[in-house]
Amino acid sequence: MFSWSWAFSMEEECLNTESVGNDDAADECGIEGDCAMTEYVNQTGVIENPLPPSVGMEFESYEDVYYFYNCYAKQQGYGIRVSNTWYRKSKERYRGKLSCSSAGFKKKSEANRPRPETRTGCPAMVKFRLMENKRWKIIEVELEHNHLITPGSGKFYKSHKIIGPGTKRTLQLDGPEEVQKIKLFRTVIVDAEGNGGVDTDGGQFGNDVLLPSQLKLKEGDAQAVQSFFFRLQLMDPNFFYVVELNEKGYMRNLFWTDARSRAAYGYFCDVIAIDTMCLTYKFEVPLVAFIGVNHHGQPILLGCGMLADETTESYTWLLRAWLTCMLGRPPQAIITDHHKTLQTAVADVFPRASHCFYLSRIVQRIPETLGELFDFEAIKVSLSKVVYCFLRPEEFEAAWEEMTQHHGIRDHKWIQTLYEDRKRWVPAYLKETFLAGMLPLQQNETAASFFEGYLDRHTSLKEFMDNYDQALQANRQLESLADMDSRNSSFMLKSRCFFELQLSKLYTNEIQRRFEREVEGMYSCFSTTQAHVDGQVMTYLVKEEVEVEGSKRETRDFEVMYNASEMDVLCVCGLFNFSGFLCRHALSVLNQNGLEEIPPQYILTRWRKDMKRSYVLDHSCRGIDINNPIHRYDHLYKCIVRVVEEGRKSQDCSKATQQALADMLSKLHLVEDRPPAM
């Protein structure tokens, strides 16, 4: 298999402005044109969907930019044209502008019956220029049109009539559910005398001074990265990786993921965590991991990256690379460390997602940030009580003000920052956000790293890459065992509660165990009384004995609202959104109202044991060119992996699969031995 990557830089250059300075130098000139290119050479590689152009993308040639933008335009439903090309006195092109075919307006005609105006002055365009490393980089993008476009309409435009070498066929782009054949651009990774260089021209840079925007690699690490990516791609043709280069051509940032992770995200795309612990604690491997949670409540890997620095630009590049890989479908909620630059990047790339901070990691930082204060232990106890014990925003606000005043820490910089960001980490503010159990919200709960046991502060890059497969396989084996356990064994009920019996038939065993703790907790709720009624909504107060400060216990009131006509129940503790199942207080209210089953809206599909899922990306075969051996290979590989996925489910399926494959091989040998048709 070929190994392809798409290299681009996130440096913002001439963003939404007309260029000045060097572009208008005396020895250079701009030439306007209204021509459409009719020839494209050197088409290699494939990708599954046309990516939207963005500032920082880099390409090998001027023609590559045109081809890429033309493919994107056809998928979106519009044509393009070359509106400007700039040349130096040496006749070398150094800058270009491609526009929507409806850009500008036609010159007025002196004819008696002039043709009607078809252009609209559309602003959609891309500008790009030749960089020092001889690659072409997009420096400005406008995606919005001032006229109607119809994605996938199949409408013909002049620019789409691109002729490939030795063929007479138009550019092939099928519907959104089919395989999209778009060019990728190769990046060669080589060692540069221990500097971890990536030289797109295959040369050496020698012992240059290490740039701050460069991965700090040891001798042989760059070659290890290349071998790592090549090995994973041989095992998985849908393995995806991206390399960002700095201005010298060295590796700056990396991102990679495999087909299984991409397919898993299709089922569990509601909440993700971005783990930057390795950067925060200065690990030797600057790893960033994208983590989701499956139907057993187990962490699943959705992609990895390595960053040269913790700048907003690097984080933005990584998040955009991940989102592109996941076909542009953002999650509903994102959990990260409390990090300002990452917060800015998340807001830029995922503007509609709820962004939360790890509460447990904020609590872990209390000793290092407040440890030098005189009454540190008292402050720590007070801070924990304010965060964990007050369930309503107004209660938290009052308690926080009292605490900071009492301990004299109101002007402490870190405390001020925490308060400014309170809506992203304090449980009282997060009850409207679904978090699927991924955000530990109880005292003494911590967020574990996906690679715990395989990666520590002193693990080298080579060691990590050797351990990477083991970590993935161990995780996936745990998922397979949990699947088998939930499918083949009946859950042992600890009570005769109807709710527990109902969900034991639906939920995976691990989620059922978590729900069971809430059923058991119903017995700690010794009083459920109706407080008041407002139309259809009844408000109850549920009293519960809770454990505080070790063995001490105290009684707390939890307000639960219940609408009998809509079968809606809402508890002030917010457990349903935090964990994905109802709390003991809501169950107590349902039980008091005579319900024997939990309403269906509170039984989430993402926790069900009968969830049908495949970890093979499903692509239609209608876009396959049967005369192209690479297309045939990719398509057959995807088909056979689906067979393997089905065959692994049981011993009988495995035997049937092996027999079917043996029969298939026999038939193929007969076809191979058959004399060619005359």
Side-chain angles (χ1 to χ4, degrees):
M1 290 299 295
F2 296 104
S3 177
W4 300 102
S5 77
W6 165 43
F8 59 95
S9 166
M10 293 312 301
E11 298 174 17
E12 294 188 358
E13 184 174 337
C14 296
L15 186 59
N16 293 328
T17 62
E18 287 300 323
S19 60
V20 294
N22 292 338
D23 288 346
D24 298 321
D27 65 333
E28 299 167 347
C29 57
I31 298 177
E32 296 188 12
D34 194 20
C35 60
M37 293 190 179
T38 57
E39 186 174 71
Y40 172 72
V41 188
N42 193 29
Q43 181 182 351
T44 55
V46 295
I47 194 172
E48 289 155 6
N49 67 309
L51 310 173
S54 64
V55 173
M57 286 184 173
E58 288 189 0
F59 302 83
E60 294 291 345
S61 67
Y62 183 103
E63 289 77 16
D64 287 345
V65 186
Y66 184 93
Y67 183 80
F68 173 82
Y69 189 49
N70 198 24
C71 290
Y72 171 78
K74 182 168 185 181
Q75 194 263 356
Q76 294 296 310
Y78 66 97
I80 69 170
R81 59 191 177 86
V82 178
S83 57
N84 293 83
T85 302
W86 284 263
Y87 290 82
R88 305 185 196 277
K89 285 185 176 181
S90 62
K91 306 295 185 181
E92 179 189 30
R93 286 182 298 196
Y94 76 95
R95 192 172 173 205
K97 178 181 177 182
L98 304 176
S99 302
C100 172
S101 56
S102 295
F105 297 95
K106 292 181 179 178
K107 294 180 181 179
K108 291 185 178 180
S109 173
E110 300 296 332
N112 293 330
R113 301 178 65 182
R115 293 182 180 180
E117 178 63 73
T118 57
R119 299 185 188 177
T120 63
C122 180
M125 60 83 199
V126 296
K127 288 182 182 177
F128 51 102
R129 67 167 298 152
L130 184 65
M131 308 305 291
E132 288 183 6
N133 61 7
K134 299 303 179 184
R135 295 169 70 86
W136 290 80
K137 182 164 75 172
I138 294 179
I139 59 173
E140 188 176 343
V141 174
E142 176 57 63
L143 296 179
E144 297 299 322
H145 297 259
N146 65 3
H147 57 95
L148 182 66
I149 61 172
T150 308
S153 66
K155 184 177 178 180
F156 177 81
Y157 289 92
K158 183 179 179 181
S159 66
H160 301 157
K161 192 177 181 181
I162 294 180
I163 307 301
T167 67
K168 292 293 181 181
R169 62 182 179 83
T170 57
L171 172 66
Q172 293 297 318
L173 279 177
D174 300 299
E177 296 180 356
E178 298 179 324
V179 181
Q180 308 296 330
K181 302 299 176 185
I182 304 297
K183 181 173 170 62
L184 280 180
F185 307 97
R186 187 175 188 180
T187 300
V188 182
I189 304 174
V190 298
D191 266 330
E193 310 238 346
N195 287 329
V198 178
D199 181 1
T200 55
D201 298 321
Q204 301 287 329
F205 284 104
N207 293 313
D208 288 6
V209 176
L210 189 68
L211 298 170
S213 60
Q214 173 183 334
L215 279 176
K216 297 174 178 62
L217 304 182
K218 296 180 179 178
E219 185 174 358
D221 279 353
Q223 184 61 46
V225 171
Q226 175 178 273
S227 300
F228 175 71
F229 285 165
F230 284 0
R231 174 169 53 83
L232 292 181
Q233 197 158 45
L234 284 171
M235 296 164 56
D236 175 10
N238 288 312
F239 174 77
F240 178 97
Y241 73 92
V242 186
V243 181
E244 183 189 19
L245 312 178
N246 66 15
E247 61 274 15
K248 288 269 188 176
Y250 293 118
M251 281 190 291
R252 183 184 180 201
N253 300 314
L254 308 175
F255 169 74
W256 72 91
T257 190
D258 60 14
R260 180 173 173 130
S261 295
R262 298 172 73 188
Y265 181 71
Y267 301 102
F268 308 111
C269 59
D270 43 10
V271 187
I272 69 161
I274 303 172
D275 189 351
T276 56
M277 185 177 69
C278 294
L279 293 175
T280 302
Y281 293 101
K282 309 302 180 187
F283 279 36
E284 199 165 323
V285 179
L287 183 74
V288 177
F290 293 82
I291 309 297
V293 63
N294 66 11
H295 55 315
H296 301 290
Q298 299 169 333
I300 52 175
L301 190 65
L302 299 175
C304 286
M306 285 195 284
L307 300 184
D309 50 44
E310 293 188 82
T311 60
T312 301
E313 290 77 16
S314 287
Y315 279 126
T316 301
W317 177 89
L318 181 65
L319 298 183
R320 285 179 179 169
W322 181 83
L323 185 60
T324 296
C325 177
M326 298 304 172
L327 306 184
R329 179 172 44 185
Q332 298 170 21
I334 298 170
I335 305 168
T336 71
D337 284 331
H338 185 211
H339 196 302
K340 282 294 181 184
T341 54
L342 180 54
Q343 184 177 346
T344 302
V346 169
D348 180 28
V349 182
F350 304 107
R352 294 181 180 84
S354 299
H355 184 193
C356 309
F357 299 141
Y358 278 116
L359 170 57
S360 59
R361 292 187 181 172
I362 289 176
V363 171
Q364 287 172 354
R365 290 193 60 196
I366 293 177
E368 69 181 76
T369 51
L370 304 178
E372 295 181 356
L373 297 181
F374 174 72
D375 53 349
F376 164 69
E377 289 298 334
I379 293 174
K380 182 180 177 181
V381 172
S382 297
L383 184 58
S384 295
K385 183 175 181 180
V386 170
V387 171
Y388 288 107
C389 296
F390 293 94
L391 301 176
R392 299 181 183 281
E394 58 273 17
E395 295 173 352
F396 167 82
E397 298 273 357
W400 182 274
E401 177 67 20
E402 182 182 345
M403 176 202 67
T404 54
Q405 288 279 27
H406 176 73
H407 293 288
I409 57 175
R410 187 175 184 180
D411 295 329
H412 191 283
K413 187 175 180 181
W414 188 62
I415 291 293
Q416 288 179 338
T417 303
L418 288 183
Y419 183 74
E420 290 169 3
D421 294 327
R422 62 193 180 281
K423 294 182 180 180
R424 299 187 187 277
W425 65 276
V426 177
Y429 293 96
L430 299 178
K431 290 177 291 186
E432 300 300 317
T433 304
F434 181 72
L435 296 169
M438 289 195 68
L439 188 66
L441 291 167
Q442 300 298 319
Q443 285 180 280
N444 302 320
E445 283 187 329
T446 58
S449 168
F450 181 88
F451 290 101
E452 191 167 354
Y454 298 92
L455 177 65
D456 59 36
R457 189 171 298 183
H458 305 293
T459 303
S460 70
L461 180 60
K462 290 181 181 179
E463 289 175 317
F464 169 69
M465 289 179 169
D466 289 339
N467 294 339
Y468 177 84
D469 284 340
Q470 298 177 40
L472 246 63
Q473 292 309 316
N475 176 267
R476 290 168 181 175
Q477 186 175 12
L478 286 175
E479 181 176 317
S480 296
L481 291 173
D483 280 342
M484 193 180 305
D485 182 45
S486 295
R487 219 172 24 239
N488 300 331
S489 63
S490 56
F491 191 84
M492 298 297 294
L493 302 179
K494 290 186 178 181
S495 71
R496 295 183 179 180
C497 175
F498 292 114
F499 303 141
E500 188 180 13
L501 177 63
Q502 176 192 10
L503 294 193
S504 68
K505 299 174 182 178
L506 304 174
Y507 277 177
T508 60
N509 287 358
E510 176 56 32
I511 301 303
Q512 180 67 21
R513 291 185 189 99
R514 299 182 189 184
F515 176 70
E516 189 179 68
R517 290 195 284 269
E518 296 307 308
V519 173
E520 292 173 353
M522 289 172 63
Y523 300 105
S524 300
C525 301
F526 57 87
S527 173
T528 303
T529 58
Q530 184 174 308
H532 61 270
V533 179
D534 183 9
Q536 297 289 324
V537 179
M538 296 176 285
T539 302
Y540 290 83
L541 284 181
V542 179
K543 294 184 180 294
E544 181 191 5
E545 276 195 358
V546 297
E547 195 173 278
V548 293
E549 298 180 19
S551 59
K552 294 182 181 179
R553 300 185 72 84
E554 69 177 35
T555 300
R556 289 186 187 166
D557 291 341
F558 294 86
E559 189 176 84
V560 181
M561 291 184 289
Y562 176 62
N563 185 329
S565 61
E566 301 292 333
M567 303 283 283
D568 284 338
V569 61
L570 178 66
C571 179
V572 70
C573 79
L575 183 73
F576 179 75
N577 273 341
F578 289 148
S579 299
F581 44 79
L582 289 178
C583 63
R584 59 196 65 185
H585 320 114
L587 295 176
S588 297
V589 169
L590 293 180
N591 185 56
Q592 179 151 316
N593 280 272
L595 272 72
E596 296 184 353
E597 288 192 344
I598 293 174
Q601 64 265 37
Y602 300 107
I603 302 176
L604 302 184
T605 302
R606 70 160 359 269
W607 301 138
R608 293 179 67 107
K609 67 174 74 178
D610 59 354
M611 173 183 281
K612 301 292 185 184
R613 68 195 192 286
S614 169
Y615 286 137
V616 181
L617 290 170
D618 186 21
H619 300 301
S620 169
C621 64
R622 286 177 289 171
I624 299 299
D625 179 3
I626 61 172
N627 295 317
N628 188 318
I630 296 176
H631 291 191
R632 291 200 303 269
Y633 177 90
D634 284 346
H635 176 59
L636 290 172
Y637 184 90
K638 291 166 188 172
C639 291
I640 207 68
V641 171
R642 275 192 214 104
V643 174
V644 173
E645 283 289 322
E646 292 297 320
R648 71 175 179 84
K649 292 182 177 178
S650 70
Q651 190 172 352
D652 289 341
C653 288
S654 178
K655 289 181 179 179
T657 302
Q658 291 180 50
Q659 184 59 52
L661 291 174
D663 294 342
M664 192 185 307
L665 276 175
S666 298
K667 291 180 180 179
L668 290 174
H669 290 151
L670 290 175
V671 171
E672 196 174 70
D673 295 337
R674 188 182 303 162
M678 298 300 291

